[in-house]
Amino acid sequence: MRLAAVVRPSIFRLVSYASIVSAFLMASSSVTTSGGRANAAPDCSRPLVVGVHGVGEGPDEYGSGNPSAPLNDTIKRLRKLQTARKSPEAEALFLRYPTISAHTLADLGFWGNGSFFAAVKNASRGLDREVSRARKACPDRRIALVGYSLGAWIIDDYLAGQDTAAQQRAISAVVLYGDPEWPIPSPGGLAREFGHVHISPYKPQWLRERFLSMCLPHDVVCNAGHDTAGARVQQLAACVAGLPGCAHRRYQLDGVTRRGAQALFGWTGGGGPQK
């Protein structure tokens, strides 16, 4: 019997749907970074980092809400590296899409409500529009995508639709944290456990060495089937309560964003035209 089949009934008895989906919860952030597009003409020599937030985070379609701590910390660290190396500082753009509430997911959203998957698809289309707009303004600009939690899953859906050479050339790098499509160990993250996979193979061939995805041990979003039922319940409870023991909230605390920023700097840090 699969581990997931053993784990699922125990969790459903002990934790409500609202608690389970709270594992996608927002990571609190002490840094306010504005989202949306700047009115001024872009500086095409600067790399563009597009961040895609998780559940309960912002900016929403009106620009409200702060980006998640992993996104903020990654960009801050990237800019420090660029400043130290006297490279052009990255411009940050946070995708504005409706912030999906825990209530939406709790209403069986993740497990079969089509409206949730439609929301993911709509956000993916919004990301495609933002990338297309950026490429139109600066055809040779280096563009990186950084996603956390649900945001990582949205990026997965976006990448699955990039099937032309021109579309693929638009993306210089991808960094993901806590992705529900994380594939290791089987069955992987929540998306895989419930049969909703967008990209296969998980690491797209056309991105090759420019794709980095990281999943902390015991993160119930990306390591859904890894732990025992008791360990998963403890993790979910910690996430709901906002405690440090919630692995899904620790990407900016455990040095993971440092690695993400270093990878981005290596792939985009020098600015200049995309090759």
Side-chain angles (χ1 to χ4, degrees):
M1 181 180 294
R2 287 198 317 131
L3 177 61
V6 176
V7 170
R8 195 177 307 157
S10 298
I11 288 183
F12 286 179
R13 285 196 300 268
L14 296 173
V15 186
S16 68
Y17 275 114
S19 297
I20 291 174
V21 300
S22 292
F24 281 96
L25 276 175
M26 45 289 182
S28 61
S29 174
S30 60
V31 180
T32 301
T33 308
S34 61
R37 297 180 296 278
N39 293 324
D43 180 351
C44 297
S45 68
R46 299 171 60 192
L48 175 65
V49 178
V50 183
V52 189
H53 64 73
V55 168
E57 299 173 334
D60 62 14
E61 65 270 47
Y62 306 108
S64 300
N66 294 335
S68 64
L71 301 185
N72 269 335
D73 200 57
T74 298
I75 292 168
K76 285 174 60 180
R77 290 180 180 277
L78 172 61
R79 286 172 171 171
K80 286 182 179 179
L81 288 171
Q82 291 167 331
T83 298
R85 305 291 179 84
K86 298 182 179 180
S87 299
E89 183 181 277
E91 177 187 348
L93 185 156
F94 296 101
L95 181 69
R96 293 183 177 185
Y97 74 95
T99 299
I100 300 171
S101 70
H103 293 292
T104 300
L105 296 183
D107 185 21
L108 298 183
F110 191 83
W111 293 269
N113 188 324
S115 63
F116 172 64
F117 299 108
V120 172
K121 182 65 68 175
N122 286 338
S124 172
R125 294 191 186 104
L127 177 58
D128 186 51
R129 288 191 295 270
E130 290 290 358
V131 172
S132 297
R133 185 180 291 111
R135 292 291 289 176
K136 183 176 181 180
C138 300
D140 296 319
R141 193 178 199 183
R142 294 182 183 272
I143 301 174
L145 307 179
V146 182
Y148 166 65
S149 193
L150 180 63
W153 199 19
I154 290 167
I155 290 175
D156 291 339
D157 185 80
Y158 165 81
L159 293 176
Q162 306 310 297
D163 53 7
T164 70
Q167 289 172 322
Q168 295 172 3
R169 186 174 178 271
I171 303 302
S172 297
V174 172
V175 171
L176 305 177
Y177 305 110
D179 185 0
E181 283 201 39
W182 177 260
I184 304 170
S186 180
L190 287 174
R192 289 183 179 272
E193 184 178 13
F194 290 96
H196 295 281
V197 177
H198 292 123
I199 53 175
S200 182
Y202 181 65
K203 182 178 181 179
Q205 288 292 330
W206 57 273
L207 276 171
R208 296 177 183 172
E209 300 305 317
R210 297 175 286 117
F211 180 95
L212 177 63
S213 183
M214 291 170 282
C215 176
L216 285 174
H218 311 297
D219 180 346
V220 291
V221 173
C222 52
N223 257 341
H226 182 59
D227 291 324
T228 64
R232 290 181 69 181
V233 170
Q234 290 177 348
Q235 273 291 309
L236 289 166
C239 291
V240 171
L243 299 176
C246 172
H248 193 60
R249 293 175 179 266
R250 295 194 59 86
Y251 286 90
Q252 74 281 6
L253 302 175
D254 287 7
V256 182
T257 50
R258 179 184 296 109
R259 183 181 173 193
Q262 290 170 342
L264 287 176
F265 180 78
W267 294 325
T268 70
Q274 170 83 9
K275 294 181 180 179

